[in-house]
Amino acid sequence: MVELRFVARDLRRLDEASAEVVACAVYRDERPFAGLAGLVDWRLAGRLGRLAKQGFLLGEVGELLAVPVRPRLPFDKLLVAGLGPRASFGDATFRRGLERTMDALAGLHVKKA
């Protein structure tokens, strides 16, 4: 079972997060990334933005990407879940993204996220 905690969208809080993996979400039509994804992208010197420009990170519903983030962040991996277009976000999209993320965490044998 994964111990799941929520982190405020603040770089100091992110640096203090004691987790193996941090998960965030991105919308297909939101560039540059906002929220936690935007903070992480800034800390990674635009790596997520470059992956999006290369077509490797689209932000489609159900998409999930694992990105190694050490040494720029204090955890091993970042999981980025796609939510599709912002205007279509709803309960079904939320459930699908959460299910995909939780399945990935279980598959990675993560204890703290």
Side-chain angles (χ1 to χ4, degrees):
M1 177 106 127
V2 176
E3 180 184 331
L4 191 60
R5 294 183 183 184
F6 292 89
V7 178
R9 293 178 299 191
D10 176 86
L11 283 174
R12 188 169 44 111
R13 298 282 186 166
L14 192 61
D15 287 339
E16 295 168 351
S18 62
E20 300 164 63
V21 175
V22 168
C24 66
V26 296
Y27 292 102
R28 185 181 75 199
D29 54 354
E30 187 174 73
R31 303 291 184 276
F33 297 118
L36 185 58
L39 288 175
V40 170
D41 191 38
W42 182 81
R43 183 59 66 83
L44 295 175
R47 184 172 183 198
L48 296 181
R50 284 191 303 280
L51 289 171
K53 277 187 177 181
Q54 296 166 353
F56 197 73
L57 173 61
L58 302 174
E60 295 293 344
V61 175
E63 177 183 15
L64 196 63
L65 178 67
V67 180
V69 294
R70 285 201 187 263
R72 293 185 180 264
L73 290 162
F75 37 90
D76 295 328
K77 290 177 195 66
L78 172 73
L79 284 182
V80 184
L83 298 177
R86 188 175 184 88
S88 339
F89 180 78
D91 289 344
T93 304
F94 174 76
R95 275 194 299 279
R96 181 146 185 230
L98 184 60
E99 286 171 1
R100 294 269 299 140
T101 300
M102 295 305 290
D103 287 347
L105 293 172
L108 292 168
H109 305 287
V110 170
K111 298 203 181 342
K112 287 175 90 176

